[in-house]
Amino acid sequence: MSSSPAVKLIAFFGSPYAHRAEAALCLKGVPYELLLEDLLRTKSDLLLQHNPVHKKVPVLLHGDRTVCESLVIAEYVDEAFDGPPLLPTDPYDRAVARFWADFIENKLTKPFFMAHWVEGEAREGFEKEGLELLALLEAQLKGNKFFGGDRPGYLDIAASMLGPWRSVVEEVTGVTVAKEEEHPSLCQWARDYSSNEALRPCIPDRDRLLAYFTKNKEMYRAGVRAMLQQ
Amino acid sequence: MAGDGELKLLGMWASPYVTRAKLALQIKGQSYEYVEEDLGNKSELLLSSNPVHKAVPVLIHDGKPVCESSVVVQYIDEAFAGAGPSLLPADPYERAVARFWAAYLEDKLVAPWMRLFRVKTDEEMAEVMRQMIAAADALEGGLKQCSEGKGPFFGGESVGYVDVLLGGMISWVKATEVFTGAKIIDAAKMPLLAAWMERFCELDAARAVLQDVGALVETEYARAVQARFAAAAPNN
């Protein structure tokens, strides 16, 4: 294969979605340049030009190609570059991984994180739902270190928010939903994910992530209150 | 080999998600046993095959269940890779573009459409319709990008992944236009999408599988929306 055109990733620090794209690149072994946006200020022309539909990070630039949506990027990275496979090769195993990624994205994430941020009576409902859904995901680890087996893959990337971000959100909100005794596999998974050698370049610095969430705490709470009123 | 073995599809006739699975199976030339579920009294097989969502479609291949319509369609494409046309293109970038528009249509067209059955006020109704039309407008651009002018479908000359996902919704799009009195895919504003819909409906797979629009308009969900907003919709 001829030398590959440059890979760049438009991201911003603290975004769990941008992290997924970085994680895919790191696990596949693809060198890339990180272009950091400061989304609390105005969006750069580069971002607006390359993601006119959603105007969001992450955006992967590969030569003259643009790929948006974190999980779409993860599959693109898996297919466009040589390196260890992120998705299993068997069609059934791939379907299982995609099913659970969809579950995380569309069912688990919202109630799970709302259970941390929401205050008052409404919290209980989200916690109950979050715990039930988390148990289903925990069962998918099936005694493996990672969802992908003995090394992280597509589903670990999809679940990454439940690692570094969960830990920081627990500290900032003072709420813990995923308890060690009840979710031992997931809690261990989170530690293994954060300390994985291949992922080292893209795991956010915990102190910096904590400072970021602490600084924006009121903004998140206000956002959550607004969501509840809808 | 993945291609061998018994195929069973658990479904419900009105579900657009089930229609997607049926379309994919037709296109890939796969025969299967269809089981119509009573969603008010779900079968043991459905509950044990999809314990997480307890929803249709569920494709059971050699006893192993696959759930979530977009996952089912991709599975059919990959497990029966030798049979019929590929739903996803071979090129990784074209695949990424197709997946982007698949995610877009789910998030921006289908999700608002689902809310239509729960809206309570005229304002909420108008907002849902506005969102759906805006999504269709964007999909017109998506169709142009995906087809690259090679044919009427997102897959170009032949039907692809996005075509199947959107195609599964066609009868409901038409039914929704009937019971709301509003146009979603407006030929004047979205000529490519309007042409797409006509061409899609002419396909053998579509003729075999798409639900009768009148029957959908008569369902209790459609009647409920129609009754609630009889004052809001213009007379036909």
Side-chain angles (χ1 to χ4, degrees):
Chain A
M1 192 161 116
S2 63
S3 84
S4 226
V7 176
K8 300 181 190 184
L9 184 72
I10 307 177
F12 79 81
F13 177 80
S15 162
Y17 298 99
H19 166 77
R20 284 172 169 174
E22 276 203 84
L25 290 163
C26 288
L27 289 171
K28 200 74 182 178
V30 178
Y32 61 97
E33 184 190 343
L34 199 59
L35 302 173
L36 285 176
E37 291 276 314
D38 181 352
L39 281 185
L40 294 176
R41 305 228 178 92
T42 37
K43 295 180 183 182
S44 73
D45 287 339
L46 191 70
L47 174 58
L48 294 174
Q49 181 195 350
H50 287 289
N51 193 357
V53 175
H54 295 301
K55 306 179 179 57
K56 285 181 180 170
V57 298
V59 179
L60 184 81
L61 306 173
H62 181 202
D64 57 1
R65 299 168 168 183
T66 304
V67 187
C68 307
E69 291 296 300
S70 62
L71 294 179
V72 176
I73 291 171
E75 286 211 55
Y76 175 75
V77 167
D78 198 24
E79 295 171 349
F81 300 95
D82 295 329
L86 300 180
L87 268 162
T89 39
D90 175 73
Y92 188 73
D93 295 337
R94 290 160 75 86
V96 172
R98 287 177 177 140
F99 173 86
W100 288 103
D102 174 89
F103 172 82
I104 289 166
E105 197 74 333
N106 295 314
K107 223 154 147 78
L108 174 63
T109 299
K110 185 178 159 184
F112 181 74
F113 281 96
M114 292 291 259
H116 294 80
W117 288 105
V118 164
E119 295 165 294
E121 279 174 25
R123 207 186 78 74
E124 222 181 278
F126 287 117
E127 187 178 48
K128 181 167 183 287
E129 193 184 352
L131 283 170
E132 281 168 11
L133 298 173
L134 204 65
L136 293 172
L137 187 65
E138 168 112 5
Q140 289 310 301
L141 275 167
K142 297 174 185 155
N144 289 325
K145 199 169 173 188
F146 296 105
F147 293 102
D150 34 68
R151 51 180 184 82
Y154 176 79
L155 187 50
D156 300 276
I157 292 170
S160 55
M161 231 181 288
L162 299 171
W165 280 265
R166 190 195 97 240
S167 158
V168 162
V169 167
E170 284 173 354
E171 191 171 330
V172 168
T173 60
V175 175
T176 300
V177 175
K179 299 189 172 76
E180 194 73 45
E181 319 83 63
E182 282 140 41
H183 303 96
S185 301
L186 261 173
C187 291
Q188 184 57 42
W189 168 86
R191 288 186 286 268
D192 289 333
Y193 185 89
S194 298
S195 59
N196 179 266
E197 194 56 42
L199 290 170
R200 183 190 294 270
C202 66
I203 299 290
D205 176 78
R206 195 180 185 279
D207 289 338
R208 197 174 157 199
L209 195 62
L210 183 63
Y212 177 82
F213 272 87
T214 305
K215 182 175 147 197
N216 296 310
K217 185 175 169 178
E218 281 321 307
M219 189 182 80
Y220 287 119
R221 285 216 198 275
V224 159
R225 277 192 295 270
M227 265 174 84
L228 284 180
Q229 267 145 32
Q230 278 172 5
Chain B
M1 186 169 98
D4 294 339
E6 189 183 278
L7 275 172
K8 191 182 276 193
L9 180 68
L10 308 183
M12 197 279 276
W13 75 274
S15 162
Y17 306 105
V18 172
T19 305
R20 290 169 168 176
K22 288 179 175 176
L23 285 167
L25 288 163
Q26 276 303 114
I27 290 165
K28 294 299 255 189
Q30 299 302 313
S31 47
Y32 59 98
E33 182 195 340
Y34 177 72
V35 177
E36 175 76 12
E37 286 281 334
D38 173 1
L39 295 181
N41 182 21
K42 294 173 185 178
S43 72
E44 259 317 299
L45 182 59
L46 174 57
L47 295 174
S48 62
S49 305
N50 192 355
V52 174
H53 300 298
K54 306 176 177 60
V56 292
V58 178
L59 182 74
I60 305 175
H61 186 199
D62 262 341
K64 297 195 292 187
V66 182
C67 310
E68 282 308 300
S69 62
S70 61
V71 178
V72 170
V73 172
Q74 288 185 82
Y75 175 75
I76 291 167
D77 195 32
E78 294 177 356
F80 303 105
S86 250
L87 294 177
L88 273 165
D91 176 71
Y93 182 58
E94 290 177 26
R95 292 160 75 88
V97 172
R99 288 184 177 126
F100 173 87
W101 287 106
Y104 182 87
L105 85 91
E106 212 65 350
D107 195 36
K108 302 293 186 187
L109 182 71
V110 179
W113 176 74
M114 293 280 285
R115 287 196 287 273
L116 194 64
F117 299 95
R118 297 195 306 269
V119 295
K120 298 198 167 64
T121 67
D122 289 350
E123 292 76 33
E124 286 175 6
M125 165 72 127
E127 177 57 20
V128 162
M129 295 307 290
R130 193 201 61 76
Q131 286 176 10
M132 289 183 73
I133 291 165
D137 197 51
L139 281 163
E140 174 84 0
L143 178 51
K144 201 171 180 183
Q145 184 189 13
C146 290
S147 67
E148 294 177 337
K150 292 175 189 162
F153 301 112
F154 285 85
E157 274 177 8
S158 64
V159 170
Y161 179 55
V162 180
D163 299 287
V164 170
L165 296 187
L166 189 57
M169 314 299 305
I170 285 178
S171 293
W172 269 112
V173 168
K174 290 180 174 175
T176 303
E177 290 179 341
V178 168
F179 67 71
T180 60
K183 217 71 182 107
I184 299 165
I185 297 183
D186 184 340
K189 297 180 191 158
M190 305 148 197
L192 293 177
L193 214 53
W196 170 85
M197 196 152 76
E198 264 189 55
R199 287 298 306 274
F200 192 93
C201 290
E202 287 167 8
L203 295 168
D204 288 339
R207 287 180 194 280
V209 151
L210 292 187
Q211 308 99 317
D212 175 63
V213 176
L216 292 179
V217 173
E218 287 301 304
T219 58
E220 53 174 291
Y221 339 99
R223 282 158 161 269
V225 178
Q226 205 158 11
R228 213 178 296 136
F229 295 99
N235 293 323
N236 284 334

